[in-house]
Amino acid sequence: MPDLNDMTDEDLMARVQNADHGAFSVLVHRYTNLFYSAAYRMCGQQDDAEDIVQDAFLKLWNRPQIWDASRGAKFTTWFYRVVTNQAIDFMRKKKPAAVGDALDYVEDTRDTQQDMMEADEKSAMIETVIQALPERQKIALNLCFYEELTNKDAAQIMGVGVKALESLLMRAKSGLREELHRRGVLKQDDNGVGEATYYG
Amino acid sequence: MDDHEFNKILKARAVPPMRSNLEHRIVQASLPVGKNKANSKGNSLSAIFIAILDTLILPKPALSMALVLVFGVMLGGYSSGVSEASTNIDVDAYFLAAETIGYGDIL
């Protein structure tokens, strides 16, 4: 019997479609962390991100037929779409919340307390500004910049053309530059795209 | 500021680590459905035994409440039956006494 851990995602999905719980378990252990990060970047809350990932995986287990192997898509690309949609539904149901978790956590790579506090504030500020972006701009930024997907894959996940995605990405970044400059995270002479504004 | 510097600032965005048991939680949450699927394929004795064991192991608040309610009703019914029986006995004893003591008997 082949070792499930050595199988490709697509082979595991074929097994999941035959109610193989072991195959499902391998996929969960392989990708929970990755998709948790993606979900967190969408919603900015640790608990919500965990719920989103859990719901997405349970959807996969309860309705495995939603995966269509004949389309030739990679499992991860397809599952990004599931998680993204789950996150959008979740956020629309929920009121926009303050960015709490980002304030509570910062990677401890700084030397002094002062540096850590500055890094903490900066990280929280970036999180707040990103969360305030229009939904589609935020998703485009997360998928391309943070998840490092290709524009083609990100466009496929979002169900838009590559040109439209590039436009969303450009507007997201220029909007971020302006807002971070306004909040003092970027220095006065750092405002490279001064004329940038937010667009829906 | 060039794009490289700007990207570096954006990368400073931190993601708090997830709770270590999230994977386990997801797998556990999917288990009852998975076992039901397995059961529907073959109703072997072991599958039934596992299902019964599951109901004992996994917390099922609704089932527990229902069982407690049924148990309470049964217990209440039993105890009211007992008190009724004892009342009947007392009444019977009264009538029995009334029959044995006739009018004009010296008490």
Side-chain angles (χ1 to χ4, degrees), chain A residues 41-78:
Chain A
R41 288 183 185 117
M42 303 273 183
C43 66
Q45 297 287 325
Q46 190 178 8
D47 288 345
D48 292 350
E50 290 184 357
D51 288 346
I52 288 165
V53 177
Q54 177 164 338
D55 289 351
F57 271 116
L58 291 181
K59 190 175 179 181
L60 182 154
W61 175 245
N62 292 326
R63 292 168 53 205
Q65 68 277 9
I66 58 175
W67 160 256
D68 186 0
S70 65
R71 291 192 177 186
K74 269 173 69 184
F75 167 77
T76 46
T77 307
W78 172 78

PDB file of all heavy atoms in Angstrom, chain A residues 41-78:
ATOM      1  N   ARG A  41      -4.418  36.901   6.904  1.00  0.00           N
ATOM      2  CA  ARG A  41      -4.166  38.133   6.139  1.00  0.00           C
ATOM      3  C   ARG A  41      -5.449  38.705   5.548  1.00  0.00           C
ATOM      4  O   ARG A  41      -5.531  39.889   5.275  1.00  0.00           O
ATOM      5  CB  ARG A  41      -3.131  37.859   5.043  1.00  0.00           C
ATOM      6  CG  ARG A  41      -1.743  37.662   5.627  1.00  0.00           C
ATOM      7  CD  ARG A  41      -0.712  37.467   4.556  1.00  0.00           C
ATOM      8  NE  ARG A  41       0.577  37.172   5.150  1.00  0.00           N
ATOM      9  CZ  ARG A  41       1.239  36.041   4.975  1.00  0.00           C
ATOM     10  NH1 ARG A  41       0.744  35.097   4.199  1.00  0.00           N
ATOM     11  NH2 ARG A  41       2.409  35.852   5.555  1.00  0.00           N
ATOM     12  N   MET A  42      -6.422  37.848   5.339  1.00  0.00           N
ATOM     13  CA  MET A  42      -7.708  38.337   4.814  1.00  0.00           C
ATOM     14  C   MET A  42      -8.514  39.028   5.918  1.00  0.00           C
ATOM     15  O   MET A  42      -9.156  40.039   5.673  1.00  0.00           O
ATOM     16  CB  MET A  42      -8.572  37.178   4.298  1.00  0.00           C
ATOM     17  CG  MET A  42      -7.925  36.340   3.242  1.00  0.00           C
ATOM     18  SD  MET A  42      -8.183  36.989   1.617  1.00  0.00           S
ATOM     19  CE  MET A  42      -7.362  35.707   0.681  1.00  0.00           C
ATOM     20  N   CYS A  43      -8.516  38.427   7.124  1.00  0.00           N
ATOM     21  CA  CYS A  43      -9.451  38.928   8.141  1.00  0.00           C
ATOM     22  C   CYS A  43      -8.770  39.649   9.305  1.00  0.00           C
ATOM     23  O   CYS A  43      -9.422  40.421   9.994  1.00  0.00           O
ATOM     24  CB  CYS A  43     -10.310  37.783   8.679  1.00  0.00           C
ATOM     25  SG  CYS A  43      -9.365  36.556   9.598  1.00  0.00           S
ATOM     26  N   GLY A  44      -7.485  39.382   9.538  1.00  0.00           N
ATOM     27  CA  GLY A  44      -6.764  40.102  10.589  1.00  0.00           C
ATOM     28  C   GLY A  44      -7.072  39.657  12.003  1.00  0.00           C
ATOM     29  O   GLY A  44      -6.692  40.337  12.953  1.00  0.00           O
ATOM     30  N   GLN A  45      -7.764  38.538  12.165  1.00  0.00           N
ATOM     31  CA  GLN A  45      -8.090  38.029  13.504  1.00  0.00           C
ATOM     32  C   GLN A  45      -7.716  36.551  13.583  1.00  0.00           C
ATOM     33  O   GLN A  45      -8.121  35.757  12.726  1.00  0.00           O
ATOM     34  CB  GLN A  45      -9.592  38.173  13.795  1.00  0.00           C
ATOM     35  CG  GLN A  45     -10.101  39.601  13.820  1.00  0.00           C
ATOM     36  CD  GLN A  45      -9.678  40.376  15.042  1.00  0.00           C
ATOM     37  OE1 GLN A  45      -9.574  39.815  16.139  1.00  0.00           O
ATOM     38  NE2 GLN A  45      -9.406  41.655  14.879  1.00  0.00           N
ATOM     39  N   GLN A  46      -7.003  36.195  14.630  1.00  0.00           N
ATOM     40  CA  GLN A  46      -6.497  34.828  14.780  1.00  0.00           C
ATOM     41  C   GLN A  46      -7.641  33.796  14.860  1.00  0.00           C
ATOM     42  O   GLN A  46      -7.638  32.799  14.134  1.00  0.00           O
ATOM     43  CB  GLN A  46      -5.645  34.745  16.035  1.00  0.00           C
ATOM     44  CG  GLN A  46      -4.876  33.453  16.179  1.00  0.00           C
ATOM     45  CD  GLN A  46      -4.006  33.444  17.431  1.00  0.00           C
ATOM     46  OE1 GLN A  46      -4.085  34.344  18.259  1.00  0.00           O
ATOM     47  NE2 GLN A  46      -3.182  32.438  17.558  1.00  0.00           N
ATOM     48  N   ASP A  47      -8.613  34.061  15.728  1.00  0.00           N
ATOM     49  CA  ASP A  47      -9.717  33.102  15.909  1.00  0.00           C
ATOM     50  C   ASP A  47     -10.530  32.943  14.630  1.00  0.00           C
ATOM     51  O   ASP A  47     -10.911  31.837  14.252  1.00  0.00           O
ATOM     52  CB  ASP A  47     -10.642  33.550  17.051  1.00  0.00           C
ATOM     53  CG  ASP A  47      -9.976  33.373  18.406  1.00  0.00           C
ATOM     54  OD1 ASP A  47      -8.959  32.656  18.471  1.00  0.00           O
ATOM     55  OD2 ASP A  47     -10.456  33.964  19.381  1.00  0.00           O
ATOM     56  N   ASP A  48     -10.795  34.079  13.990  1.00  0.00           N
ATOM     57  CA  ASP A  48     -11.570  34.039  12.749  1.00  0.00           C
ATOM     58  C   ASP A  48     -10.815  33.260  11.677  1.00  0.00           C
ATOM     59  O   ASP A  48     -11.404  32.466  10.938  1.00  0.00           O
ATOM     60  CB  ASP A  48     -11.841  35.462  12.248  1.00  0.00           C
ATOM     61  CG  ASP A  48     -12.782  36.216  13.170  1.00  0.00           C
ATOM     62  OD1 ASP A  48     -13.360  35.575  14.077  1.00  0.00           O
ATOM     63  OD2 ASP A  48     -12.931  37.436  13.002  1.00  0.00           O
ATOM     64  N   ALA A  49      -9.506  33.492  11.599  1.00  0.00           N
ATOM     65  CA  ALA A  49      -8.689  32.796  10.589  1.00  0.00           C
ATOM     66  C   ALA A  49      -8.735  31.283  10.813  1.00  0.00           C
ATOM     67  O   ALA A  49      -8.870  30.502   9.860  1.00  0.00           O
ATOM     68  CB  ALA A  49      -7.251  33.300  10.645  1.00  0.00           C
ATOM     69  N   GLU A  50      -8.670  30.885  12.058  1.00  0.00           N
ATOM     70  CA  GLU A  50      -8.738  29.444  12.366  1.00  0.00           C
ATOM     71  C   GLU A  50     -10.093  28.862  11.981  1.00  0.00           C
ATOM     72  O   GLU A  50     -10.172  27.766  11.424  1.00  0.00           O
ATOM     73  CB  GLU A  50      -8.453  29.221  13.852  1.00  0.00           C
ATOM     74  CG  GLU A  50      -7.001  29.497  14.197  1.00  0.00           C
ATOM     75  CD  GLU A  50      -6.641  29.191  15.652  1.00  0.00           C
ATOM     76  OE1 GLU A  50      -7.527  28.811  16.427  1.00  0.00           O
ATOM     77  OE2 GLU A  50      -5.461  29.349  15.992  1.00  0.00           O
ATOM     78  N   ASP A  51     -11.138  29.613  12.269  1.00  0.00           N
ATOM     79  CA  ASP A  51     -12.489  29.145  11.906  1.00  0.00           C
ATOM     80  C   ASP A  51     -12.648  29.045  10.387  1.00  0.00           C
ATOM     81  O   ASP A  51     -13.266  28.102   9.883  1.00  0.00           O
ATOM     82  CB  ASP A  51     -13.550  30.097  12.470  1.00  0.00           C
ATOM     83  CG  ASP A  51     -13.678  29.964  13.988  1.00  0.00           C
ATOM     84  OD1 ASP A  51     -13.152  28.971  14.535  1.00  0.00           O
ATOM     85  OD2 ASP A  51     -14.273  30.853  14.608  1.00  0.00           O
ATOM     86  N   ILE A  52     -12.099  30.021   9.700  1.00  0.00           N
ATOM     87  CA  ILE A  52     -12.202  30.024   8.229  1.00  0.00           C
ATOM     88  C   ILE A  52     -11.513  28.795   7.650  1.00  0.00           C
ATOM     89  O   ILE A  52     -12.064  28.096   6.794  1.00  0.00           O
ATOM     90  CB  ILE A  52     -11.589  31.332   7.651  1.00  0.00           C
ATOM     91  CG1 ILE A  52     -12.500  32.525   7.963  1.00  0.00           C
ATOM     92  CG2 ILE A  52     -11.351  31.208   6.150  1.00  0.00           C
ATOM     93  CD1 ILE A  52     -11.843  33.880   7.761  1.00  0.00           C
ATOM     94  N   VAL A  53     -10.307  28.504   8.128  1.00  0.00           N
ATOM     95  CA  VAL A  53      -9.561  27.344   7.619  1.00  0.00           C
ATOM     96  C   VAL A  53     -10.303  26.051   7.964  1.00  0.00           C
ATOM     97  O   VAL A  53     -10.442  25.159   7.114  1.00  0.00           O
ATOM     98  CB  VAL A  53      -8.128  27.316   8.200  1.00  0.00           C
ATOM     99  CG1 VAL A  53      -7.383  26.084   7.742  1.00  0.00           C
ATOM    100  CG2 VAL A  53      -7.371  28.548   7.772  1.00  0.00           C
ATOM    101  N   GLN A  54     -10.790  25.974   9.184  1.00  0.00           N
ATOM    102  CA  GLN A  54     -11.513  24.760   9.591  1.00  0.00           C
ATOM    103  C   GLN A  54     -12.757  24.557   8.720  1.00  0.00           C
ATOM    104  O   GLN A  54     -13.006  23.455   8.226  1.00  0.00           O
ATOM    105  CB  GLN A  54     -11.911  24.859  11.068  1.00  0.00           C
ATOM    106  CG  GLN A  54     -12.726  23.653  11.520  1.00  0.00           C
ATOM    107  CD  GLN A  54     -12.817  23.522  13.031  1.00  0.00           C
ATOM    108  OE1 GLN A  54     -11.996  24.055  13.745  1.00  0.00           O
ATOM    109  NE2 GLN A  54     -13.799  22.803  13.506  1.00  0.00           N
ATOM    110  N   ASP A  55     -13.508  25.627   8.516  1.00  0.00           N
ATOM    111  CA  ASP A  55     -14.724  25.518   7.694  1.00  0.00           C
ATOM    112  C   ASP A  55     -14.387  25.108   6.259  1.00  0.00           C
ATOM    113  O   ASP A  55     -15.110  24.321   5.654  1.00  0.00           O
ATOM    114  CB  ASP A  55     -15.478  26.854   7.690  1.00  0.00           C
ATOM    115  CG  ASP A  55     -16.123  27.140   9.040  1.00  0.00           C
ATOM    116  OD1 ASP A  55     -16.132  26.234   9.893  1.00  0.00           O
ATOM    117  OD2 ASP A  55     -16.585  28.276   9.246  1.00  0.00           O
ATOM    118  N   ALA A  56     -13.292  25.667   5.746  1.00  0.00           N
ATOM    119  CA  ALA A  56     -12.899  25.341   4.360  1.00  0.00           C
ATOM    120  C   ALA A  56     -12.535  23.860   4.251  1.00  0.00           C
ATOM    121  O   ALA A  56     -12.956  23.177   3.303  1.00  0.00           O
ATOM    122  CB  ALA A  56     -11.727  26.215   3.931  1.00  0.00           C
ATOM    123  N   PHE A  57     -11.772  23.354   5.201  1.00  0.00           N
ATOM    124  CA  PHE A  57     -11.394  21.931   5.153  1.00  0.00           C
ATOM    125  C   PHE A  57     -12.610  21.028   5.350  1.00  0.00           C
ATOM    126  O   PHE A  57     -12.719  19.992   4.688  1.00  0.00           O
ATOM    127  CB  PHE A  57     -10.326  21.621   6.204  1.00  0.00           C
ATOM    128  CG  PHE A  57      -8.923  21.805   5.708  1.00  0.00           C
ATOM    129  CD1 PHE A  57      -8.098  22.768   6.248  1.00  0.00           C
ATOM    130  CD2 PHE A  57      -8.410  21.004   4.685  1.00  0.00           C
ATOM    131  CE1 PHE A  57      -6.798  22.948   5.783  1.00  0.00           C
ATOM    132  CE2 PHE A  57      -7.112  21.170   4.223  1.00  0.00           C
ATOM    133  CZ  PHE A  57      -6.312  22.146   4.779  1.00  0.00           C
ATOM    134  N   LEU A  58     -13.512  21.416   6.244  1.00  0.00           N
ATOM    135  CA  LEU A  58     -14.699  20.581   6.467  1.00  0.00           C
ATOM    136  C   LEU A  58     -15.612  20.587   5.246  1.00  0.00           C
ATOM    137  O   LEU A  58     -16.238  19.578   4.924  1.00  0.00           O
ATOM    138  CB  LEU A  58     -15.461  21.060   7.708  1.00  0.00           C
ATOM    139  CG  LEU A  58     -14.742  20.810   9.038  1.00  0.00           C
ATOM    140  CD1 LEU A  58     -15.584  21.289  10.209  1.00  0.00           C
ATOM    141  CD2 LEU A  58     -14.404  19.334   9.223  1.00  0.00           C
ATOM    142  N   LYS A  59     -15.631  21.713   4.552  1.00  0.00           N
ATOM    143  CA  LYS A  59     -16.399  21.794   3.299  1.00  0.00           C
ATOM    144  C   LYS A  59     -15.815  20.802   2.288  1.00  0.00           C
ATOM    145  O   LYS A  59     -16.549  20.098   1.605  1.00  0.00           O
ATOM    146  CB  LYS A  59     -16.314  23.224   2.767  1.00  0.00           C
ATOM    147  CG  LYS A  59     -17.238  23.521   1.621  1.00  0.00           C
ATOM    148  CD  LYS A  59     -17.151  25.001   1.281  1.00  0.00           C
ATOM    149  CE  LYS A  59     -18.042  25.345   0.108  1.00  0.00           C
ATOM    150  NZ  LYS A  59     -17.946  26.771  -0.237  1.00  0.00           N
ATOM    151  N   LEU A  60     -14.499  20.792   2.240  1.00  0.00           N
ATOM    152  CA  LEU A  60     -13.800  19.868   1.335  1.00  0.00           C
ATOM    153  C   LEU A  60     -14.130  18.411   1.680  1.00  0.00           C
ATOM    154  O   LEU A  60     -14.371  17.589   0.795  1.00  0.00           O
ATOM    155  CB  LEU A  60     -12.302  20.127   1.436  1.00  0.00           C
ATOM    156  CG  LEU A  60     -11.329  19.343   0.572  1.00  0.00           C
ATOM    157  CD1 LEU A  60     -10.072  20.167   0.374  1.00  0.00           C
ATOM    158  CD2 LEU A  60     -10.932  18.018   1.176  1.00  0.00           C
ATOM    159  N   TRP A  61     -14.158  18.116   2.974  1.00  0.00           N
ATOM    160  CA  TRP A  61     -14.419  16.732   3.393  1.00  0.00           C
ATOM    161  C   TRP A  61     -15.883  16.339   3.166  1.00  0.00           C
ATOM    162  O   TRP A  61     -16.180  15.244   2.705  1.00  0.00           O
ATOM    163  CB  TRP A  61     -14.042  16.562   4.871  1.00  0.00           C
ATOM    164  CG  TRP A  61     -14.390  15.218   5.435  1.00  0.00           C
ATOM    165  CD1 TRP A  61     -15.290  14.964   6.419  1.00  0.00           C
ATOM    166  CD2 TRP A  61     -13.873  13.944   5.035  1.00  0.00           C
ATOM    167  NE1 TRP A  61     -15.359  13.619   6.658  1.00  0.00           N
ATOM    168  CE2 TRP A  61     -14.494  12.972   5.813  1.00  0.00           C
ATOM    169  CE3 TRP A  61     -12.943  13.541   4.070  1.00  0.00           C
ATOM    170  CZ2 TRP A  61     -14.236  11.613   5.689  1.00  0.00           C
ATOM    171  CZ3 TRP A  61     -12.673  12.179   3.933  1.00  0.00           C
ATOM    172  CH2 TRP A  61     -13.312  11.239   4.739  1.00  0.00           C
ATOM    173  N   ASN A  62     -16.785  17.255   3.491  1.00  0.00           N
ATOM    174  CA  ASN A  62     -18.214  16.932   3.378  1.00  0.00           C
ATOM    175  C   ASN A  62     -18.722  16.953   1.940  1.00  0.00           C
ATOM    176  O   ASN A  62     -19.686  16.266   1.625  1.00  0.00           O
ATOM    177  CB  ASN A  62     -19.040  17.905   4.227  1.00  0.00           C
ATOM    178  CG  ASN A  62     -18.783  17.699   5.702  1.00  0.00           C
ATOM    179  OD1 ASN A  62     -18.554  16.578   6.150  1.00  0.00           O
ATOM    180  ND2 ASN A  62     -18.779  18.770   6.478  1.00  0.00           N
ATOM    181  N   ARG A  63     -18.069  17.791   1.108  1.00  0.00           N
ATOM    182  CA  ARG A  63     -18.497  17.854  -0.299  1.00  0.00           C
ATOM    183  C   ARG A  63     -17.289  17.744  -1.231  1.00  0.00           C
ATOM    184  O   ARG A  63     -16.941  18.692  -1.938  1.00  0.00           O
ATOM    185  CB  ARG A  63     -19.236  19.171  -0.546  1.00  0.00           C
ATOM    186  CG  ARG A  63     -20.588  19.229   0.185  1.00  0.00           C
ATOM    187  CD  ARG A  63     -21.163  20.630   0.160  1.00  0.00           C
ATOM    188  NE  ARG A  63     -21.236  21.160  -1.185  1.00  0.00           N
ATOM    189  CZ  ARG A  63     -21.234  22.468  -1.472  1.00  0.00           C
ATOM    190  NH1 ARG A  63     -21.155  23.347  -0.508  1.00  0.00           N
ATOM    191  NH2 ARG A  63     -21.305  22.873  -2.711  1.00  0.00           N
ATOM    192  N   PRO A  64     -16.622  16.596  -1.216  1.00  0.00           N
ATOM    193  CA  PRO A  64     -15.382  16.475  -2.004  1.00  0.00           C
ATOM    194  C   PRO A  64     -15.605  16.561  -3.508  1.00  0.00           C
ATOM    195  O   PRO A  64     -14.666  16.794  -4.264  1.00  0.00           O
ATOM    196  CB  PRO A  64     -14.849  15.091  -1.601  1.00  0.00           C
ATOM    197  CG  PRO A  64     -16.033  14.354  -1.113  1.00  0.00           C
ATOM    198  CD  PRO A  64     -16.965  15.348  -0.525  1.00  0.00           C
ATOM    199  N   GLN A  65     -16.859  16.407  -3.927  1.00  0.00           N
ATOM    200  CA  GLN A  65     -17.137  16.466  -5.365  1.00  0.00           C
ATOM    201  C   GLN A  65     -16.966  17.874  -5.944  1.00  0.00           C
ATOM    202  O   GLN A  65     -16.945  18.038  -7.163  1.00  0.00           O
ATOM    203  CB  GLN A  65     -18.551  15.921  -5.662  1.00  0.00           C
ATOM    204  CG  GLN A  65     -19.705  16.756  -5.151  1.00  0.00           C
ATOM    205  CD  GLN A  65     -20.019  16.492  -3.688  1.00  0.00           C
ATOM    206  OE1 GLN A  65     -19.290  15.801  -2.978  1.00  0.00           O
ATOM    207  NE2 GLN A  65     -21.123  17.057  -3.202  1.00  0.00           N
ATOM    208  N   ILE A  66     -16.821  18.886  -5.067  1.00  0.00           N
ATOM    209  CA  ILE A  66     -16.588  20.239  -5.590  1.00  0.00           C
ATOM    210  C   ILE A  66     -15.208  20.360  -6.227  1.00  0.00           C
ATOM    211  O   ILE A  66     -14.934  21.292  -6.953  1.00  0.00           O
ATOM    212  CB  ILE A  66     -16.785  21.345  -4.508  1.00  0.00           C
ATOM    213  CG1 ILE A  66     -15.843  21.114  -3.314  1.00  0.00           C
ATOM    214  CG2 ILE A  66     -18.221  21.424  -4.047  1.00  0.00           C
ATOM    215  CD1 ILE A  66     -15.901  22.239  -2.272  1.00  0.00           C
ATOM    216  N   TRP A  67     -14.336  19.421  -5.925  1.00  0.00           N
ATOM    217  CA  TRP A  67     -13.010  19.364  -6.584  1.00  0.00           C
ATOM    218  C   TRP A  67     -13.172  18.612  -7.901  1.00  0.00           C
ATOM    219  O   TRP A  67     -13.611  17.465  -7.925  1.00  0.00           O
ATOM    220  CB  TRP A  67     -12.020  18.653  -5.666  1.00  0.00           C
ATOM    221  CG  TRP A  67     -10.800  18.097  -6.349  1.00  0.00           C
ATOM    222  CD1 TRP A  67     -10.549  16.790  -6.655  1.00  0.00           C
ATOM    223  CD2 TRP A  67      -9.649  18.824  -6.799  1.00  0.00           C
ATOM    224  NE1 TRP A  67      -9.341  16.646  -7.252  1.00  0.00           N
ATOM    225  CE2 TRP A  67      -8.756  17.884  -7.359  1.00  0.00           C
ATOM    226  CE3 TRP A  67      -9.286  20.163  -6.786  1.00  0.00           C
ATOM    227  CZ2 TRP A  67      -7.521  18.250  -7.897  1.00  0.00           C
ATOM    228  CZ3 TRP A  67      -8.054  20.528  -7.314  1.00  0.00           C
ATOM    229  CH2 TRP A  67      -7.198  19.589  -7.853  1.00  0.00           C
ATOM    230  N   ASP A  68     -12.832  19.285  -8.979  1.00  0.00           N
ATOM    231  CA  ASP A  68     -12.968  18.673 -10.295  1.00  0.00           C
ATOM    232  C   ASP A  68     -11.575  18.474 -10.890  1.00  0.00           C
ATOM    233  O   ASP A  68     -10.969  19.424 -11.410  1.00  0.00           O
ATOM    234  CB  ASP A  68     -13.826  19.570 -11.188  1.00  0.00           C
ATOM    235  CG  ASP A  68     -14.122  18.927 -12.538  1.00  0.00           C
ATOM    236  OD1 ASP A  68     -13.649  17.785 -12.758  1.00  0.00           O
ATOM    237  OD2 ASP A  68     -14.811  19.549 -13.357  1.00  0.00           O
ATOM    238  N   ALA A  69     -11.086  17.232 -10.787  1.00  0.00           N
ATOM    239  CA  ALA A  69      -9.714  16.941 -11.239  1.00  0.00           C
ATOM    240  C   ALA A  69      -9.546  17.147 -12.741  1.00  0.00           C
ATOM    241  O   ALA A  69      -8.453  17.468 -13.212  1.00  0.00           O
ATOM    242  CB  ALA A  69      -9.368  15.502 -10.874  1.00  0.00           C
ATOM    243  N   SER A  70     -10.640  17.014 -13.487  1.00  0.00           N
ATOM    244  CA  SER A  70     -10.537  17.108 -14.945  1.00  0.00           C
ATOM    245  C   SER A  70     -10.168  18.519 -15.416  1.00  0.00           C
ATOM    246  O   SER A  70      -9.751  18.726 -16.546  1.00  0.00           O
ATOM    247  CB  SER A  70     -11.853  16.668 -15.594  1.00  0.00           C
ATOM    248  OG  SER A  70     -12.866  17.575 -15.247  1.00  0.00           O
ATOM    249  N   ARG A  71     -10.323  19.489 -14.547  1.00  0.00           N
ATOM    250  CA  ARG A  71      -9.982  20.873 -14.925  1.00  0.00           C
ATOM    251  C   ARG A  71      -8.473  21.110 -14.940  1.00  0.00           C
ATOM    252  O   ARG A  71      -7.999  22.123 -15.448  1.00  0.00           O
ATOM    253  CB  ARG A  71     -10.628  21.865 -13.972  1.00  0.00           C
ATOM    254  CG  ARG A  71     -12.129  21.909 -14.133  1.00  0.00           C
ATOM    255  CD  ARG A  71     -12.709  23.086 -13.400  1.00  0.00           C
ATOM    256  NE  ARG A  71     -14.140  23.172 -13.602  1.00  0.00           N
ATOM    257  CZ  ARG A  71     -14.897  24.162 -13.167  1.00  0.00           C
ATOM    258  NH1 ARG A  71     -14.355  25.146 -12.489  1.00  0.00           N
ATOM    259  NH2 ARG A  71     -16.186  24.183 -13.388  1.00  0.00           N
ATOM    260  N   GLY A  72      -7.753  20.214 -14.309  1.00  0.00           N
ATOM    261  CA  GLY A  72      -6.287  20.286 -14.336  1.00  0.00           C
ATOM    262  C   GLY A  72      -5.686  21.340 -13.426  1.00  0.00           C
ATOM    263  O   GLY A  72      -4.513  21.694 -13.560  1.00  0.00           O
ATOM    264  N   ALA A  73      -6.485  21.873 -12.503  1.00  0.00           N
ATOM    265  CA  ALA A  73      -5.961  22.907 -11.590  1.00  0.00           C
ATOM    266  C   ALA A  73      -5.138  22.254 -10.476  1.00  0.00           C
ATOM    267  O   ALA A  73      -5.359  21.092 -10.129  1.00  0.00           O
ATOM    268  CB  ALA A  73      -7.121  23.676 -10.974  1.00  0.00           C
ATOM    269  N   LYS A  74      -4.180  23.039  -9.962  1.00  0.00           N
ATOM    270  CA  LYS A  74      -3.423  22.557  -8.799  1.00  0.00           C
ATOM    271  C   LYS A  74      -4.341  22.605  -7.581  1.00  0.00           C
ATOM    272  O   LYS A  74      -5.169  23.514  -7.467  1.00  0.00           O
ATOM    273  CB  LYS A  74      -2.226  23.484  -8.544  1.00  0.00           C
ATOM    274  CG  LYS A  74      -0.957  23.058  -9.261  1.00  0.00           C
ATOM    275  CD  LYS A  74       0.116  24.105  -9.088  1.00  0.00           C
ATOM    276  CE  LYS A  74       0.622  24.184  -7.651  1.00  0.00           C
ATOM    277  NZ  LYS A  74       1.607  25.257  -7.445  1.00  0.00           N
ATOM    278  N   PHE A  75      -4.121  21.656  -6.664  1.00  0.00           N
ATOM    279  CA  PHE A  75      -4.963  21.633  -5.469  1.00  0.00           C
ATOM    280  C   PHE A  75      -4.839  22.947  -4.696  1.00  0.00           C
ATOM    281  O   PHE A  75      -5.842  23.525  -4.267  1.00  0.00           O
ATOM    282  CB  PHE A  75      -4.587  20.456  -4.560  1.00  0.00           C
ATOM    283  CG  PHE A  75      -5.201  20.560  -3.192  1.00  0.00           C
ATOM    284  CD1 PHE A  75      -6.544  20.257  -2.995  1.00  0.00           C
ATOM    285  CD2 PHE A  75      -4.452  21.000  -2.104  1.00  0.00           C
ATOM    286  CE1 PHE A  75      -7.126  20.386  -1.739  1.00  0.00           C
ATOM    287  CE2 PHE A  75      -5.032  21.128  -0.850  1.00  0.00           C
ATOM    288  CZ  PHE A  75      -6.360  20.815  -0.670  1.00  0.00           C
ATOM    289  N   THR A  76      -3.602  23.428  -4.509  1.00  0.00           N
ATOM    290  CA  THR A  76      -3.404  24.631  -3.677  1.00  0.00           C
ATOM    291  C   THR A  76      -4.091  25.846  -4.293  1.00  0.00           C
ATOM    292  O   THR A  76      -4.710  26.640  -3.580  1.00  0.00           O
ATOM    293  CB  THR A  76      -1.909  24.928  -3.469  1.00  0.00           C
ATOM    294  OG1 THR A  76      -1.237  24.812  -4.714  1.00  0.00           O
ATOM    295  CG2 THR A  76      -1.279  23.995  -2.463  1.00  0.00           C
ATOM    296  N   THR A  77      -3.983  25.989  -5.608  1.00  0.00           N
ATOM    297  CA  THR A  77      -4.629  27.129  -6.273  1.00  0.00           C
ATOM    298  C   THR A  77      -6.139  27.066  -6.053  1.00  0.00           C
ATOM    299  O   THR A  77      -6.775  28.066  -5.713  1.00  0.00           O
ATOM    300  CB  THR A  77      -4.332  27.101  -7.789  1.00  0.00           C
ATOM    301  OG1 THR A  77      -2.923  27.002  -7.966  1.00  0.00           O
ATOM    302  CG2 THR A  77      -4.846  28.334  -8.483  1.00  0.00           C
ATOM    303  N   TRP A  78      -6.674  25.866  -6.247  1.00  0.00           N
ATOM    304  CA  TRP A  78      -8.115  25.681  -6.074  1.00  0.00           C
ATOM    305  C   TRP A  78      -8.520  25.936  -4.619  1.00  0.00           C
ATOM    306  O   TRP A  78      -9.519  26.607  -4.346  1.00  0.00           O
ATOM    307  CB  TRP A  78      -8.495  24.247  -6.487  1.00  0.00           C
ATOM    308  CG  TRP A  78      -9.906  23.890  -6.169  1.00  0.00           C
ATOM    309  CD1 TRP A  78     -11.021  24.256  -6.858  1.00  0.00           C
ATOM    310  CD2 TRP A  78     -10.362  23.109  -5.050  1.00  0.00           C
ATOM    311  NE1 TRP A  78     -12.143  23.739  -6.244  1.00  0.00           N
ATOM    312  CE2 TRP A  78     -11.770  23.031  -5.140  1.00  0.00           C
ATOM    313  CE3 TRP A  78      -9.711  22.451  -4.003  1.00  0.00           C
ATOM    314  CZ2 TRP A  78     -12.537  22.337  -4.214  1.00  0.00           C
ATOM    315  CZ3 TRP A  78     -10.481  21.769  -3.080  1.00  0.00           C
ATOM    316  CH2 TRP A  78     -11.879  21.716  -3.196  1.00  0.00           C
TER     317      TRP A  78
END
